[in-house]
Amino acid sequence: MSTSTAHSHDTHALPPRPKELAMHFDTLHNQYQAGKLGMWLFLGQEVLFFAALFTAYAVYRGNHTEMFHVGQYFLDWRLGATNTIVLLFSSMTAAWSVRCAQLEQRRGLVLTIAITWLCALTFMVVKYFEYTHKIHVGSVWGDSFHIHNMADLPRGVVDWLYKHNPGLAQMQGEEQLAAVNDMLGKNGLGLGSFFAVYFCMTGLHGIHVLVGMGVYAWLFVRALKGHFNRRYYGAVDNVALYWHIVDLIWIFLFPLLYLIG
Amino acid sequence: MAGGVVEKPEGAYGGSTRNYLNETRGIKNWIITLDHKRIAMMYLVAVTLALLLGGFFAVALRTVLWDGAVRDPNDLILGMRVEQMYNKYFTLHGAVMVFMFIIPGIPASLGNFILPMQLGTKDLALPRINLMSLYLYWIGATLFVGVLAFGGLDTGWTLYPPYSLDRQTSIPLILALSAVFILGFSSILTGLNFIVTMHRLRPPGMGMYDMPLFLWALYATSLIQVLATPVIGLTLALAMVEHMFHIGIFLPQYGGDPVLFQHFFWFYSHPAVYIMILPAMGVQSELIATFSRKHVFGYKAIGWSSIAIAAIGFIVWGHHMFVAGQSPAAGLIFSFLTFFVAIPSAIKVFNWVATMYRGSIELKTPMLYGLAFMYLFGIGGLTGLFLASIANNVHLHDTYFVIAHFHMVMVGSTLNAFFGGVHYWWPKMTGRMYNETLAKIACGLVFLGFNLAFMPQFVAGTRGMPRRYANYADEFTTFHQISTVGAYVLGAGVLLQVIYLTYSWFKGPRAPKNPWGAASLEWQADSPPDFHNFTKPVIVMAAYDYENWEYDPNTGGYELRKEVVESGRSLATAHH
């Protein structure tokens, strides 16, 4: 509370205020706690944001179990697992960066932030290859789902097709492809809905990774400039919290999409 | 002159002529300000414009309904069939009012201004987030103006697919979806900021139970804003993707599920009606206690009932879908849970009435709005129970009964509390008094117009008049025409307010520090407050200890008693 009538800086009678302290807080600790509470509330908001998608997932999987069973064959669990490890590792370096900031280890701080950023980049590169492959195969969302080539189909899908339509073996070329698309597309299994769920969930998560890369780049610059010290490191802490929830959401996405066979 | 206030030279009431309004000048200093008071005033102007825009569409649609029984369906106005125009009017009326006026209305304008001051602090905890929330509101509002420019929508504000997603022109649809998405994030940021501020910036000596009940109500509102709004954000994003890429999530022809949209939509939009009403209830608690000059009755009951309403509000959304193919079991559960909302709501009303009991009631304009609130909320709340019971609901679903019910709550209650709050805090916010006589006339017009507009709709609804139709059977003519007259009277009342309030801002007599004798901390600041809110140390006291203030005929307002100023403590320490 102000005890002075001065208008611009009302602190000349008091001990000097740290330059990082905003005018409406009395201590850096309180300011840090306010920022942190704000971040936790934001994370609560994030959970609800994704909750709608997880609900959609549950509704569609409950109504179309087989669609999810077959759709899962299109996803490569090895790429998913790689990304899981990359993200888990980056969560460790993110937590480490907070510790470095608390201990005022500037080189360590810059390094851990850089590694976290590079992990995020790696994740997005792997995602890029996964997405382009699916677009190449034609295993995409809703109305656009259309397989272009039998040879692209994963083993599990081929087995399922032959099991449900032994006559497929006698067909060839276009005729066979048309029959396959009939079985997998909206007239049959409706895999388009599975891929709608897949692309929406991983896409929204991917957007969060990109945002994370943006804020880590900002932190990197600030860390290089030496903005942080043991009393003022809220930004590092809060970004790490955000990064952990991005990681946590992936921890749920990976088994729910890749490992349900 | 209003309230017996005598014109005084500048600086007579606070010792300083500088305040947040004239601290710096120029439009740039307003646009990039981090000051919660300036942001609040910009919000107040913006939501008032939204109210006028939404009100324009309301009057327009009521005008169409004047002769709905005898119209030739082939009549053209401005090259458009009347029915088509009507469909756009009610859609835009609903969307503008809900997303741009009622939801941000009280929290972002009055709440933004008053919350830090009731805590005796200088600003909200996160001023940059506050400014960002205002910017997002502006962006959302601009996109919505784009919707109008590109021909509007006729989906209803609920945007139900499939009609909304595969039978609309792309540009206005996408603009509308992004507008609501962005307005949603504006709302989330406001709520987040409020919660942090109430936890971290309460002054020493003020516990949660010492906060004014307005803040409890804002706390409950903020919880809903933070936890429910993201769901509609995601839903609208999915709707947009569905419209553009046909991903098969809400549109049945691509394998999607339109009822899933309804669940998602109401998971937000039902709690959202509590985003609308809870802040209004908070204002109401302040008005009733102040103008009864009595410590509010049942403080904890009122405070916790806000939290209870917020919590129960999350699990009743299915009552919007009793006839949408929901299972009977789900219908039964949602019906049962819906009745529970009535309990905390009734607790509030009874406590307000008990606060007035043997109080020394002063019928100033804000109190008149408070009384109107109680009367209209009583009707709106009780008719909600009719709709909560499934058998009744099947009969009344999508009739004018529903329209009348939710207007009683959303307009009758929230709009009245907004007006009451604006009048109550107007002297603090602008430093000027409005004209009490004109204000009472406007209040009377609003009350009369509102009742004329919506009471007949209850009857028309029970007799089977469905909502969202431009034409109707002969038997409904009288109801519709009374209702249309009411809409005009209500509109006149609102316009009158805008006129005399704007006038008073520039020419009104200067307001004393505390014209009402209210006891919460914002009244210890000058009117209008200093840039840093308080120029003297705030004496922290419970929000309803009115005996600390005494009337001072020299200023026409109330001043802290000498004993209080000297001891720096409230006279009453063991009151609640």
Side-chain angles (χ1 to χ4, degrees):
Chain A
M1 259 165 277
S2 170
T3 53
S4 145
T5 50
H7 284 268
S8 48
H9 297 285
D10 57 349
T11 51
H12 41 260
L14 301 164
R17 289 163 69 88
K19 63 179 188 307
E20 300 95 345
L21 182 57
M23 64 106 183
H24 56 299
F25 286 106
D26 46 5
T27 61
L28 274 175
H29 175 74
N30 202 14
Q31 179 176 321
Y32 163 80
Q33 290 293 345
K36 196 153 181 171
L37 180 57
M39 182 45 87
W40 276 108
L41 287 166
F42 181 75
L43 298 188
Q45 177 277 135
E46 285 288 333
V47 169
L48 267 294
F49 197 58
F50 275 93
L53 270 180
F54 281 102
T55 308
Y57 173 95
V59 168
Y60 281 95
R61 189 170 165 192
N63 289 344
H64 313 281
T65 316
E66 197 163 25
M67 176 217 288
F68 276 72
H69 181 77
V70 177
Q72 172 265 151
Y73 288 124
F74 282 90
L75 309 182
D76 190 336
W77 70 267
R78 287 161 302 189
L79 292 177
T82 309
N83 263 349
T84 307
I85 292 165
V86 167
L87 272 195
L88 278 176
F89 183 76
S90 75
S91 247
M92 184 188 75
T93 55
W96 203 335
S97 71
V98 180
R99 192 67 189 140
C100 287
Q102 288 170 336
L103 298 176
E104 299 187 339
Q105 297 171 342
R106 274 181 60 185
R107 278 177 56 195
L109 178 62
V110 171
L111 194 68
T112 46
I113 288 175
I115 295 173
T116 312
W117 190 89
L118 285 172
C119 286
L121 181 69
T122 313
F123 180 92
M124 290 313 291
V125 169
V126 172
K127 208 82 240 152
Y128 168 80
F129 284 114
E130 284 190 271
Y131 277 10
T132 45
H133 179 67
K134 281 183 185 56
I135 290 164
H136 168 78
V137 172
S139 55
V140 292
W141 51 86
D143 218 20
S144 314
F145 180 90
H146 185 85
I147 301 298
H148 307 305
N149 194 338
M150 273 295 280
D152 292 336
L153 288 177
R155 180 70 191 279
V157 181
V158 177
D159 289 348
W160 182 87
L161 285 167
Y162 281 116
K163 191 175 138 210
H164 285 78
N165 184 1
L168 219 51
Q170 274 84 54
M171 300 182 203
Q172 293 211 321
E174 288 301 314
E175 186 198 6
Q176 190 185 38
L177 203 57
V180 165
N181 275 313
D182 232 30
M183 288 174 74
L184 298 179
K186 66 179 169 189
N187 301 326
L189 261 186
L191 278 181
S193 285
F194 172 80
F195 284 103
V197 170
Y198 167 83
F199 276 101
C200 285
M201 293 184 99
T202 57
L204 188 66
H205 177 261
I207 290 172
H208 278 77
V209 174
L210 288 176
V211 170
M213 288 173 72
V215 282
Y216 266 115
W218 168 72
L219 274 191
F220 183 76
V221 174
R222 292 193 67 184
L224 273 182
K225 288 185 179 167
H227 281 185
F228 304 112
N229 58 53
R230 70 201 149 83
R231 286 206 185 79
Y232 179 75
Y233 60 94
V236 185
D237 204 355
N238 287 333
V239 173
L241 276 177
Y242 168 81
W243 192 248
H244 291 324
I245 201 132
V246 173
D247 190 9
L248 191 64
I249 289 163
W250 179 257
I251 297 295
F252 282 93
L253 288 182
F254 174 53
L256 284 178
L257 291 168
Y258 291 76
L259 303 180
I260 51 178
Chain B
M1 205 159 288
V5 179
V6 188
E7 184 81 39
K8 290 260 173 163
E10 287 221 15
Y13 301 106
S16 167
T17 54
R18 301 183 69 180
N19 57 57
Y20 81 99
L21 290 166
N22 63 17
E23 171 79 18
T24 52
R25 290 187 181 278
I27 201 142
K28 180 175 151 260
N29 281 319
W30 278 77
I31 287 178
I32 60 163
T33 185
L34 294 177
D35 179 34
H36 70 102
K37 301 181 288 304
R38 289 190 166 190
I39 292 173
M41 293 314 275
M42 287 189 276
Y43 255 124
L44 184 63
V45 172
V47 298
T48 305
L49 291 176
L51 171 68
L52 294 177
L53 181 65
F56 166 77
F57 288 120
V59 168
L61 78 88
R62 284 307 327 167
T63 308
V64 172
L65 286 168
W66 176 263
D67 55 356
V70 292
R71 183 182 305 117
D72 179 353
N74 296 317
D75 272 357
L76 295 181
I77 298 180
L78 304 172
M80 219 195 306
R81 283 181 56 183
V82 179
E83 288 89 341
Q84 278 178 311
M85 260 172 143
Y86 170 80
N87 290 348
K88 290 189 174 177
Y89 289 158
F90 79 69
T91 302
L92 296 169
H93 163 66
V96 169
M97 284 298 200
V98 168
F99 296 116
M100 284 162 62
F101 173 66
I102 308 186
I103 286 179
I106 294 179
S109 61
L110 299 178
N112 220 331
F113 198 106
I114 296 304
L115 184 148
M117 301 199 64
Q118 288 194 331
L119 296 178
T121 183
K122 288 182 189 170
D123 208 322
L124 287 173
L126 309 167
R128 285 191 186 83
I129 298 282
N130 197 20
L131 184 63
M132 188 172 161
S133 144
L134 176 69
Y135 286 173
L136 289 175
Y137 180 86
W138 281 345
I139 296 170
T142 310
L143 290 175
F144 224 100
V145 172
V147 176
L148 303 181
F150 282 96
L153 293 174
D154 62 355
T155 58
W157 76 279
T158 48
L159 295 161
Y160 276 9
Y163 180 71
S164 65
L165 298 183
D166 66 356
R167 289 286 184 278
Q168 297 289 319
T169 328
S170 279
I171 294 177
L173 176 68
I174 288 171
L175 285 175
L177 293 173
S178 5
V180 177
F181 183 90
I182 290 168
L183 291 170
F185 274 89
S186 160
S187 169
I188 291 173
L189 294 180
T190 302
L192 183 152
N193 211 345
F194 283 5
I195 295 179
V196 174
T197 308
M198 278 181 263
H199 277 296
R200 302 308 316 182
L201 288 178
R202 261 179 294 120
M206 185 190 277
M208 289 300 266
Y209 287 129
D210 301 314
M211 295 197 308
L213 285 166
F214 182 50
L215 300 192
W216 273 82
L218 285 180
Y219 192 93
T221 310
S222 304
L223 284 177
I224 309 175
Q225 285 177 308
V226 171
L227 294 178
T229 319
V231 176
I232 191 135
L234 187 99
T235 308
L236 297 173
L238 285 178
M240 216 181 316
V241 176
E242 177 77 315
H243 173 76
M244 292 191 283
F245 301 109
H246 298 153
I247 61 169
I249 190 129
F250 295 139
L251 286 176
Q253 62 266 44
Y254 310 117
D257 182 353
V259 179
L260 184 65
F261 177 91
Q262 295 188 21
H263 276 290
F264 283 174
F265 182 84
W266 290 113
F267 183 85
Y268 165 73
S269 294
H270 194 77
V273 307
Y274 302 114
I275 297 180
M276 303 169 199
I277 192 68
L278 278 169
M281 291 167 158
V283 172
Q284 175 75 357
S285 302
E286 301 302 302
L287 299 184
I288 296 294
T290 300
F291 292 99
S292 304
R293 298 206 60 72
K294 198 164 149 251
H295 193 287
V296 75
F297 186 87
Y299 176 95
K300 286 187 182 174
I302 297 182
W304 279 103
S305 62
S306 292
I307 308 290
I309 289 175
I312 300 168
F314 269 100
I315 47 174
V316 300
W317 79 88
H319 68 219
H320 293 271
M321 301 164 62
F322 283 150
V323 297
Q326 191 174 249
S327 75
L332 209 65
I333 293 166
F334 279 123
S335 166
F336 181 71
L337 290 171
T338 301
F339 284 109
F340 272 94
V341 186
I343 296 172
S345 308
I347 287 177
K348 282 179 188 296
V349 175
F350 293 141
N351 280 305
W352 293 325
V353 174
T355 304
M356 287 170 64
Y357 177 67
R358 304 192 73 174
S360 103
I361 295 169
E362 213 180 349
L363 290 176
K364 297 273 187 192
T365 310
M367 183 62 168
L368 293 180
Y369 281 112
L371 294 177
F373 175 105
M374 254 194 292
Y375 166 73
L376 296 171
F377 181 74
I379 297 171
L382 289 173
T383 49
L385 294 178
F386 296 24
L387 291 167
S389 49
I390 303 180
N392 273 338
N393 188 288
V394 171
H395 176 65
L396 295 170
H397 200 93
D398 270 353
T399 66
Y400 267 61
F401 190 89
V402 178
I403 305 265
H405 155 69
F406 74 72
H407 278 86
M408 283 281 162
V409 181
M410 287 159 75
V411 191
S413 313
T414 305
L415 189 65
N416 266 302
F418 175 74
F419 290 154
V422 167
H423 284 82
Y424 178 60
W425 282 301
W426 189 258
K428 184 57 60 193
M429 295 191 295
T430 63
R432 305 285 182 152
M433 294 303 292
Y434 52 84
N435 184 310
E436 185 75 23
T437 314
L438 282 176
K440 281 184 174 152
I441 293 172
C443 179
L445 286 176
V446 167
F447 185 72
L448 178 72
F450 183 81
N451 280 293
L452 277 180
F454 292 101
M455 287 299 181
Q457 297 189 2
F458 279 122
V459 187
T462 45
R463 295 189 183 178
M465 175 69 214
R467 67 192 284 198
R468 294 182 171 176
Y469 282 83
N471 304 322
Y472 47 81
D474 268 339
E475 56 174 308
F476 296 115
T477 306
T478 316
F479 299 122
H480 275 292
Q481 294 190 343
I482 296 175
S483 191
T484 302
V485 171
Y488 278 94
V489 176
L490 176 56
V494 175
L495 280 182
L496 178 59
Q497 278 189 28
V498 173
I499 292 167
Y500 71 75
L501 284 178
T502 312
Y503 175 82
S504 82
W505 194 343
F506 298 102
K507 302 270 179 188
R510 293 196 178 274
K513 214 177 201 179
N514 186 356
W516 319 122
S520 41
L521 303 189
E522 76 269 29
W523 301 102
Q524 293 182 30
D526 297 337
S527 300
D530 178 66
F531 186 70
H532 285 160
N533 290 353
F534 298 94
T535 47
K536 295 189 195 112
V538 180
I539 299 170
V540 176
M541 56 179 73
Y544 304 103
D545 289 347
Y546 296 109
E547 58 271 44
N548 292 331
W549 293 83
E550 65 184 341
Y551 187 72
D552 176 2
N554 292 327
T555 59
Y558 289 74
E559 294 290 333
L560 277 174
R561 286 181 194 278
K562 265 207 187 72
E563 309 92 281
V564 179
V565 177
E566 277 161 13
S567 68
R569 292 222 319 269
S570 170
L571 290 179
T573 41
H575 231 305
H576 56 280

